[in-house]
């Protein structure tokens, strides 16, 4: 799943902000049409945990509803339109204009649904997301396993040592792509003496033929190679002489741009995608961690995303402050504590030189 970006062929609209909110302890919201709007709602910040925003909701982990409205730009017509939720803990269901478009189980990871056929143009669209965070033995991490907890039982009863915050914890965005588009980009880097290699595999959403290009730039470096798509897939390897390797001491990132175009699919297509790339290798050998073939000493912390008011919600100022505080102590690493962190967190680690 590619991180949404805005460029000449793609659009992105972040619809995070203050949404309408209402808890649904009796599970009546869907039957009563809450997906079309909430009566007796109260404001809630997205992203954020509802447990930290309202005192009476600190211990509430059951069903709740989020609703907002958005007008989709008319210039998006003709493209494929998706809604992407960065994280809904733990089970999220998305509705567009009252129609259920999909559900996702599992917190801390993004999910997306295509909503092209549900958009109302030139008027407001109602976006609703129901979220429930009931603790169950079958969920990851598991909860309510009372017989196994014994003297270590917590409140609420979990098998993990952090609070199970609930809600929409990362941004909710709408994004668009061409009908035929770049669906996935896989980058694998290696080093060879003073040089590096960047293997790029690109997959389209359709099994079609086409051509394209991959371009790596940074400093005085500009390396480009063509792509030949067969059945929607293309691959190439860029050789980078005298490469500047990414490390905790020098977290250098190159810019990688990918282009794809074709005329033989059911319709002509043209798409572009770009991302940051660090040329590096990681290995474990003889009890040592090797970064670019050299032992690296890991100094750092175990971290959680929790914070006052935002709970486990994405908190960009806190991220920036945390990284600078860690660097001030001499840290070059941290442990992600029990669950996948946000993509924004990983991007900042790449930029700031944290393992």
């Amino acid at each position: 799943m590619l991180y949404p970006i805005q460029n000449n062929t793609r659009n992105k609209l972040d619809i995070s902000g203050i949404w309408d909110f209402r808890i649904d302890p009796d599970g009546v919201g869907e039957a009563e049409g809450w997906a079309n709007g909430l009566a007796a709602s109260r404001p809630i910040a997205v992203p954020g945990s509802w447990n930290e925003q309202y005192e009476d909701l600190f211990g509430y982990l059951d069903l709740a509803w989020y609703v907002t409205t958005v007008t989709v730009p008319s210039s998006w017509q003709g493209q494929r339109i998706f809604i992407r939720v960065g994280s809904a803990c733990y089970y999220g269901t998305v509705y567009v204009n009252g129609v259920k478009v999909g559900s996702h189980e599992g917190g801390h990871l993004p999910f997306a649904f295509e909503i092209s056929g549900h958009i109302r143009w030139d008027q407001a669209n109602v976006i609703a997301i129901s979220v429930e965070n009931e603790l169950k033995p079958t969920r990851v991490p598991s909860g309510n396993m009372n017989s196994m907890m014994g003297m270590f039982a917590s409140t609420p009863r979990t098998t993990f040592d952090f609070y199970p915050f609930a809600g929409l914890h990362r941004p909710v965005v709408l994004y668009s792509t061409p009908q035929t588009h770049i669906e996935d980009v896989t980058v694998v880097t290696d080093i060879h003496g003073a040089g590096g290699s960047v293997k790029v595999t690109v997959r389209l959403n359709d099994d079609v033929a086409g051509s394209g290009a991959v371009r790596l730039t940074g400093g005085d470096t500009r390396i480009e190679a063509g792509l030949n798509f067969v059945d929607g897939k293309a691959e190439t390897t860029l050789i980078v002489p005298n490469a500047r390797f990414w490390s905790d001491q020098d977290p250098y990132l190159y810019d990688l741009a990918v282009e794809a175009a074709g005329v033989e699919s059911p319709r002509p297509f043209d798409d572009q995608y770009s991302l940051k790339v660090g040329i590096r290798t990681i290995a474990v050998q003889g009890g040592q961690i090797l970064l670019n073939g050299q032992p690296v000493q890991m100094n750092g912390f175990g971290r959680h995303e929790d914070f006052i008011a935002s709970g486990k919600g994405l908190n960009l100022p806190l991220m920036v402050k945390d990284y600078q505080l860690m660097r001030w102590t001499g840290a070059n690493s941290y442990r992600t504590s029990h669950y996948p962190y946000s993509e924004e967190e990983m991007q900042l680690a790449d930029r700031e030189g944290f393992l």
Side-chain angles (χ1 to χ4, degrees):
M1 177 180 286
L2 295 178
Y3 189 78
I5 64 172
Q6 175 79 48
N7 61 19
N8 291 332
T9 62
R10 295 165 172 255
N11 294 291
K12 175 183 175 182
L13 177 62
D14 192 333
I15 61 173
S16 307
I18 304 298
W19 292 38
D20 294 334
F21 180 80
R22 184 176 177 181
I23 63 172
D24 186 10
D26 298 320
V28 300
E30 185 170 80
E32 293 184 359
W34 292 13
N36 294 301
L38 296 177
S41 67
R42 47 183 164 177
I44 196 85
V46 176
S49 303
W50 68 59
N51 315 91
E52 279 285 334
Q53 295 183 57
Y54 286 99
E55 183 179 1
D56 63 305
L57 299 182
F58 181 77
Y60 185 77
L61 300 174
D62 293 327
L63 186 64
W65 289 73
Y66 294 78
V67 176
T68 192
T69 58
V70 59
T71 300
V72 181
S74 58
S75 59
W76 290 27
Q77 293 188 64
Q79 290 201 310
R80 299 181 69 171
I81 301 170
F82 299 83
I83 184 170
R84 186 185 199 265
V85 180
S87 170
C89 281
Y90 183 84
Y91 188 95
T93 301
V94 177
Y95 305 78
V96 178
N97 294 320
V99 178
K100 183 190 297 185
V101 296
S103 298
H104 177 268
E105 183 173 12
H108 313 296
L109 290 174
F111 58 94
F113 302 116
E114 184 170 2
I115 59 172
S116 306
H118 303 291
I119 296 298
R120 297 171 180 167
W121 298 103
D122 301 320
Q123 57 183 300
N125 294 268
V126 180
I127 306 295
I129 304 176
S130 67
V131 181
E132 62 93 348
N133 193 37
E134 182 182 348
L135 298 177
K136 297 180 180 180
T138 55
R139 292 186 167 178
V140 181
S142 55
N144 277 349
M145 299 176 67
N146 298 356
S147 62
M148 298 179 61
M149 299 304 294
M151 64 179 291
F152 298 104
S154 60
T155 302
R157 291 188 175 272
T158 68
T159 59
F160 46 91
D161 64 346
F162 60 93
Y163 191 81
F165 286 106
L168 297 175
H169 287 157
R170 294 170 192 159
V172 180
V173 303
L174 302 183
Y175 71 92
S176 73
T177 67
Q179 293 291 330
T180 298
H181 58 270
I182 298 168
E183 185 174 64
D184 188 61
V185 179
T186 301
V187 178
V188 178
T189 64
D190 203 352
I191 61 175
H192 314 277
S197 64
V198 180
K199 180 181 177 182
V200 183
T201 303
V202 184
R203 189 180 71 240
L204 305 177
N205 66 307
D206 291 328
D207 295 336
V208 297
S211 61
V214 175
R215 184 173 58 256
L216 187 78
T217 56
D220 296 330
T221 299
R222 181 182 176 90
I223 302 171
E224 188 166 348
L227 291 173
N228 181 34
F229 287 93
V230 178
D231 295 330
K233 186 176 179 180
E235 186 175 284
T236 191
T237 298
L238 304 176
I239 303 301
V240 187
N242 298 315
R244 187 172 172 182
F245 301 141
W246 184 96
S247 74
D248 57 321
Q249 300 299 313
D250 181 23
Y252 188 77
L253 297 171
Y254 291 88
D255 291 304
L256 181 70
V258 180
E259 299 174 358
V263 296
E264 298 180 7
S265 67
R267 65 193 68 81
F269 69 92
D270 180 20
D271 194 19
Q272 303 170 17
Y273 191 79
S274 60
L275 66 159
K276 299 284 188 178
V277 171
I279 298 178
R280 58 197 162 193
T281 61
I282 289 284
V284 176
Q285 188 177 73
Q288 290 184 313
I289 296 176
L290 305 182
L291 173 62
N292 303 329
Q294 300 298 318
V296 60
Q297 176 68 41
M298 307 282 279
N299 302 310
F301 300 87
R303 291 181 61 238
H304 281 284
E305 295 176 306
D306 308 14
F307 197 65
I308 187 172
S310 56
K312 208 174 288 295
L314 178 66
N315 187 326
L316 297 179
L318 178 65
M319 270 174 45
V320 171
K321 186 176 181 66
D322 266 4
Y323 277 65
Q324 299 314 304
L325 286 172
M326 288 191 295
R327 184 63 76 192
W328 174 63
T329 70
N332 65 347
S333 65
Y334 63 88
R335 181 175 73 99
T336 55
S337 302
H338 313 304
Y339 48 87
Y341 281 17
S342 70
E343 294 151 295
E344 292 82 2
E345 186 96 51
M346 299 297 98
Q347 291 163 0
L348 188 58
D350 254 3
R351 177 173 176 171
E352 292 297 298
F354 279 87
L355 298 153

